[in-house]
């Protein structure tokens, strides 16, 4: 405990302590001119730790040395210093995301405000850092301190960007595969029943060809085969003609429906024009944008959009039907030519048995080739369908990965437990500080924003109740400290309270708060550093009472020249 009147130099000492832990220097000119360095002697896991921070000519310079287990390291930047101190404390700083979206790593100066309430602005919010450059910095520092996974991991963000790029590429592949599949599926029935019919047809045609080749009565067998094929051609032609007729009727019906929809679109347009005319009459709408016809305007937009979507669907269906009709026309012409060839061969009196046999074999072979070709197209279509299925399955895997990466922190059970613990402990410490006029319905969101009955600390403080704000900030940090100390392996086992505004706190409330903090620290191997101007908290045998030791112009000072050093009796 540091206890002395204002102006005795308590704050430079506390800031010197924070400076040796990597906090930015904020010293006044007399300290910069007259002090050379700040040296901190501490222990980590029972081993001596010495940190020496040079006080330069300005507050922007950085040079420090760390002595631990007989080794000394030099550091010319806060980043290097923080990395070494985290390392010797057994902490692995995560790769986080900065406010600008780049990579960022925590410094001691970003973590220390969890354990250090600096005089002045440190008591105005739950977390105040001199350099808030990390996204959701308070939540990230608490997660880091408690050994939890970060909310915004840079590795996760990078992986997320890679997966999103992969998703875009995969989507392009799927679109390409869908186009190929749509092109190959035109006019093809890939149903299992149709495939079985084609297989049986191919087997039957093969059998007929083999029978013709092995026949003794070539003319009779060929004539019979030609007659059967001629009959089949007639059946096929009639079926294709019926299908073509149906398609032509469908296209005509689509055109009729489209004409009707076009009429509705024109009617909607006329209604909208009429509405504009009505709104232009001041007797009806005296105020601009009066809203009298707002409902009809919204209805017009929705109806027009719906009708245009219907027209697009009809155009697509009409296009598919026309393409199919063209294919049927071509097939009918082919069938007509094939039928004429068969009929000519069958009816020709000059045709010999060999000629008819050749014609029959050629016709059957062509049918077999057509059937096998269709089976080949179906096989190729199945192959494309399989490719598309694999591509879509890979896209689903990528999407699942994106959802998993995007869900970071939302299903974090450990962080959820911590928030519940902090909620209970904050209420406890609010009651210890006799915090009035604030709801004890405490809620803590994923960004570690504390609200009290829906009100934030900033909202409560804006009403001029600075005493209430200080009590809430003290309660939150005591709750954090108590939750942190519950794990004996965590290294930052201290809480620094640099001169809270004691004129705004009742002495009895502050005394009770410090008494409970002492008990908690003693039970959990913690340390409390407290500076005070007006409240002299009683100290025990395990405490250190640090009083100013140098003579000053009008009162004892914490910093001074060796010649001004007072004796113990003078200090007492």
């Amino acid at each position: 405990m540091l206890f002395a009147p204002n102006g005795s130099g308590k704050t430079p000492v506390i800031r010197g302590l924070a400076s040796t832990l990597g906090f930015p220097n904020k010293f006044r000119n007399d300290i910069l001119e007259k002090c050379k360095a700040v040296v901190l002697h501490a222990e980590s896991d029972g081993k001596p730790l010495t940190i020496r921070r040079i006080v330069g000519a300005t507050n922007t310079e950085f040079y420090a040395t760390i002595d631990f287990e007989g080794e000394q390291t030099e550091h010319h930047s806060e980043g290097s210093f923080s990395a070494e101190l985290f390392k010797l404390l057994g902490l692995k700083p995560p790769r986080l995301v900065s406010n600008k979206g780049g990579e960022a790593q925590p410094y001691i100066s970003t973590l220390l405000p969890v354990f250090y309430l600096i005089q002045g602005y440190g008591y105005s919010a739950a977390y105040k850092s001199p350099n808030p450059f990390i996204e959701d910095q308070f939540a990230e520092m608490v997660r880091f301190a408690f050994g939890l996974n970060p909310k915004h991991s840079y590795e996760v963000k990078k992986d997320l960007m890679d997966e999103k790029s992969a998703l875009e590429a995969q989507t392009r592949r799927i679109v390409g595969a869908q186009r190929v599949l749509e092109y190959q599926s035109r006019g093809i029935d890939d149903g299992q029943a149709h495939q079985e019919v084609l297989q049986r047809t191919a087997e039957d045609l093969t059998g007929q060809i083999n029978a013709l080749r092995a026949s003794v009565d070539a003319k009779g067998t060929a004539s019979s085969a030609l007659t059967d094929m001629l009959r089949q051609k007639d059946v096929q032609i009639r079926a294709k003609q019926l299908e073509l007729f149906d398609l032509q009727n469908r296209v005509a019906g689509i055109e009729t429906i489209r004409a009707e929809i076009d009429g509705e679109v024109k009617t909607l347009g006329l209604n909208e024009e009429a509405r504009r005319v009505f709104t232009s009459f001041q007797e009806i709408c005296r105020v601009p944008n009066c809203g009298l016809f707002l409902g009809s305007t919204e209805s017009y937009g929705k109806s027009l959009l719906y009708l245009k979507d219907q027209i697009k669907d009809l155009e697509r269906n009409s296009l598919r039907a026309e393409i199919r009709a063209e294919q049927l026309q071509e097939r009918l012409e082919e069938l007509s030519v094939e039928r004429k060839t068969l009929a000519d061969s069958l009816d020709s009196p000059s045709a010999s048995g060999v000629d008819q046999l050749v014609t029959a074999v050629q016709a059957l072979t062509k049918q077999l080739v057509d059937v096998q070709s269709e089976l080949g197209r179906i096989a190729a279509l199945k192959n494309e369908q399989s490719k598309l299925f694999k591509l879509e399955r890979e896209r689903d895997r990528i999407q699942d990965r994106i959802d998993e990466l995007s869900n970071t922190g939302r299903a974090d059970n450990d962080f959820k437990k911590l928030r519940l613990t902090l909620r209970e402990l904050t209420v406890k410490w609010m009651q210890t500080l006799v915090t009035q006029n604030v709801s004890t319905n405490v809620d803590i969101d994923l960004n570690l924003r504390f609200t009290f009955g829906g009100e934030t600390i900033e909202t409560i403080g804006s009403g001029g109740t600075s005493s209430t704000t200080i009590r809430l900030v003290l309660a939150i940090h005591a709750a954090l400290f108590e939750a942190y100390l519950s794990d004996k392996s965590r290294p930052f086992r201290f809480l620094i309270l640099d001169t809270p505004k004691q004129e705004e706190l009742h002495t009895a409330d502050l005394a009770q708060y410090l008494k409970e903090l002492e008990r908690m620290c003693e039970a959990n191997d913690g340390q409390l550093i407290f500076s005070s101007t007006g409240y002299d908290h009683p100290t025990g045998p395990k405490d250190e009472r640090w009083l100013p030791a140098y003579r000053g112009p009008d009162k004892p000072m914490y910093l001074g020249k060796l010649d001004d050093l007072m004796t113990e009796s003078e200090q007492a």
Side-chain angles (χ1 to χ4, degrees):
M1 178 179 177
L2 286 78
F3 175 66
N6 283 330
S8 302
K10 299 186 299 299
T11 293
V13 172
I14 296 295
R15 288 190 176 179
L17 169 61
S19 175
T20 60
L21 293 173
F23 216 67
N25 286 337
K26 292 293 181 181
F27 296 123
R28 297 181 63 180
N29 289 336
D30 58 342
I31 302 295
L32 296 176
E33 293 169 359
K34 298 175 183 178
C35 294
K36 181 179 180 181
V38 186
V39 182
L40 172 67
H41 298 281
E43 287 185 359
S44 178
D45 289 334
K47 302 171 185 176
L49 168 66
T50 302
I51 301 175
R52 180 183 180 87
R53 175 81 180 269
I54 300 300
V55 178
T58 65
N59 283 316
T60 59
E61 300 171 17
F62 192 103
Y63 178 75
T65 60
I66 300 177
D67 288 277
F68 187 66
E69 293 189 313
E71 293 186 5
Q72 184 182 89
T73 56
E74 296 185 4
H75 304 278
H76 297 270
S77 69
E78 184 183 348
S80 168
F81 176 86
S82 298
E84 180 64 24
L85 190 55
F86 284 143
K87 179 181 176 182
L88 69 87
L89 293 176
L91 299 175
K92 185 178 179 181
R95 297 173 67 190
L96 302 174
V97 178
S98 72
N99 291 330
K100 296 182 179 179
E103 181 180 0
Q105 287 194 336
Y107 291 167
I108 291 291
S109 63
T110 62
L111 180 62
L112 198 58
V114 178
F115 307 95
Y116 169 39
L117 288 178
I118 192 170
Q119 185 181 21
Y121 70 79
Y123 293 89
S124 62
Y127 175 86
K128 278 287 187 179
S129 170
N131 192 11
F133 63 94
I134 298 173
E135 187 174 354
D136 295 330
Q137 186 163 303
F138 182 29
E140 293 289 23
M141 291 305 99
V142 170
R143 283 174 173 272
F144 175 37
F146 282 80
L148 304 178
N149 291 328
K151 181 184 179 186
H152 304 292
S153 169
Y154 184 75
E155 288 96 339
V156 170
K157 181 184 178 182
K158 185 176 181 300
D159 291 345
L160 185 59
M161 292 174 62
D162 292 342
E163 293 293 349
K164 286 183 177 179
S165 297
L167 181 63
E168 292 178 4
Q170 192 71 7
T171 301
R172 288 194 294 269
R173 295 189 193 100
I174 289 174
V175 170
Q178 286 173 337
R179 288 175 179 170
V180 172
L181 184 62
E182 182 181 359
Y183 176 77
Q184 291 190 351
S185 62
R186 289 176 181 175
I188 295 181
D189 181 2
D190 62 339
Q192 186 62 33
H194 183 61
Q195 282 185 263
E196 292 174 357
V197 170
L198 290 175
Q199 291 286 359
R200 288 196 299 269
T201 302
E203 293 172 1
D204 181 60
L205 291 170
T206 303
Q208 291 183 50
I209 293 171
N210 293 334
L212 282 174
R213 289 172 178 170
S215 174
V216 176
D217 183 9
K219 185 174 180 61
T221 305
S223 178
S224 175
L226 289 172
T227 301
D228 289 340
M229 283 188 284
L230 193 60
R231 190 182 305 114
Q232 291 174 10
K233 291 297 178 188
D234 289 336
V235 172
Q236 290 176 359
I237 289 172
R238 283 195 297 273
K240 298 299 181 186
Q241 286 174 338
L242 287 173
E243 186 178 352
L244 178 60
F245 180 73
D246 181 61
L247 277 173
Q248 290 171 341
N249 287 337
R250 190 184 308 172
V251 171
I254 289 174
E255 290 301 321
T256 301
I257 296 172
R258 180 177 175 177
E260 292 176 356
I261 294 176
D262 284 334
E264 292 185 30
V265 170
K266 291 178 181 177
T267 302
L268 279 174
L270 292 173
N271 289 339
E272 181 64 11
E273 288 181 12
R275 183 195 65 80
R276 293 195 187 100
V277 172
F278 272 107
T279 55
S280 67
F281 295 155
Q282 293 188 356
E283 290 80 3
I284 298 175
C285 272
R286 297 180 180 275
V287 181
N289 301 321
C290 64
L292 180 61
F293 298 98
L294 183 61
S296 63
T297 301
E298 293 178 354
S299 175
Y300 165 75
K302 292 178 181 178
S303 299
L304 185 61
L305 183 62
Y306 172 71
L307 291 175
K308 287 186 175 181
D309 286 340
Q310 281 191 321
I311 290 175
K312 289 180 181 178
D313 290 338
L314 289 171
E315 288 176 347
R316 284 193 292 267
N317 292 334
S318 178
L319 179 61
R320 282 196 291 266
E322 289 173 357
I323 292 173
R324 179 58 181 160
E326 291 177 4
Q327 293 174 344
L328 286 173
Q329 288 280 14
E330 294 174 0
R331 183 58 182 151
L332 278 171
E333 292 176 3
E334 293 175 359
L335 288 172
S336 297
V337 172
E338 292 171 4
R339 184 190 184 286
K340 186 176 183 307
T341 302
L342 292 173
D344 290 346
S345 179
L346 187 62
D347 297 337
S348 176
S350 61
S352 64
V354 174
D355 292 336
Q356 289 186 343
L357 181 62
V358 170
T359 302
V361 170
Q362 287 177 341
L364 290 171
T365 302
K366 185 180 185 307
Q367 289 185 31
L368 179 60
V369 170
D370 290 342
V371 170
Q372 290 176 337
S373 177
E374 188 169 358
L375 285 170
R377 289 197 298 271
I378 291 174
L381 183 62
K382 294 287 186 183
N383 186 44
E384 289 299 327
Q385 288 174 339
S386 176
K387 288 181 181 178
L388 181 59
F389 174 75
K390 291 178 180 178
L391 289 172
E392 289 176 340
R393 187 170 60 182
E394 177 63 14
R395 180 183 61 182
D396 292 341
R397 187 201 65 78
I398 296 172
Q399 187 61 60
D400 290 342
R401 176 67 174 153
I402 289 174
D403 293 341
E404 178 185 341
L405 293 172
S406 302
N407 197 42
T408 304
R410 296 178 189 169
D412 193 338
N413 291 328
D414 290 335
F415 189 60
K416 183 178 180 180
K417 291 178 183 177
L418 175 61
R419 287 160 53 209
L420 291 174
T421 300
L422 291 177
R423 178 182 177 182
E424 296 173 359
L425 292 176
T426 300
V427 173
K428 164 193 163 183
W429 288 102
M430 286 172 63
Q431 294 171 345
T432 301
L433 283 160
V434 194
T435 308
Q436 299 177 345
N437 303 322
V438 178
S439 172
T440 55
N441 182 18
V442 179
D443 184 63
I444 307 171
D445 66 12
L446 292 172
N447 294 325
L448 224 63
R449 283 189 291 260
F450 287 72
T451 56
F452 305 85
E455 294 183 299
T456 63
I457 294 179
E458 291 75 17
T459 302
I460 294 170
S462 65
T465 54
S466 56
S467 171
T468 303
T469 301
I470 293 172
R471 292 171 193 266
L472 292 177
V473 171
L474 288 172
I476 289 171
H477 279 269
L480 281 165
F481 194 46
E482 183 173 357
Y484 182 85
L485 291 181
S486 62
D487 186 336
K488 301 292 184 182
S489 65
R490 292 171 180 155
F492 289 92
R493 312 195 71 80
F494 58 83
L495 180 63
I496 304 173
L497 303 178
D498 183 11
T499 321
K501 296 180 180 179
Q502 292 151 36
E503 69 275 7
E504 298 180 1
L505 292 173
H506 296 301
T507 301
D509 299 340
L510 181 60
Q512 180 64 22
Y513 175 75
L514 293 174
K515 185 177 179 181
E516 292 299 323
L517 273 178
E518 280 187 286
R519 290 177 182 173
M520 188 260 291
C521 288
E522 187 174 0
N524 295 280
D525 191 24
Q527 185 177 9
L528 175 65
I529 296 97
F530 178 71
S531 64
S532 172
T533 55
Y535 171 59
D536 187 5
H537 189 72
T539 52
K542 293 184 178 181
D543 299 325
E544 282 289 338
R545 187 179 179 84
W546 192 355
L547 301 176
Y550 295 90
R551 298 183 190 88
D554 54 359
K555 57 189 169 186
M557 302 292 292
Y558 277 96
L559 300 175
K561 298 179 180 180
L562 288 176
D563 295 341
D564 296 327
L565 186 64
M566 297 187 296
T567 62
E568 292 184 4
S569 59
E570 287 178 307
Q571 294 180 40

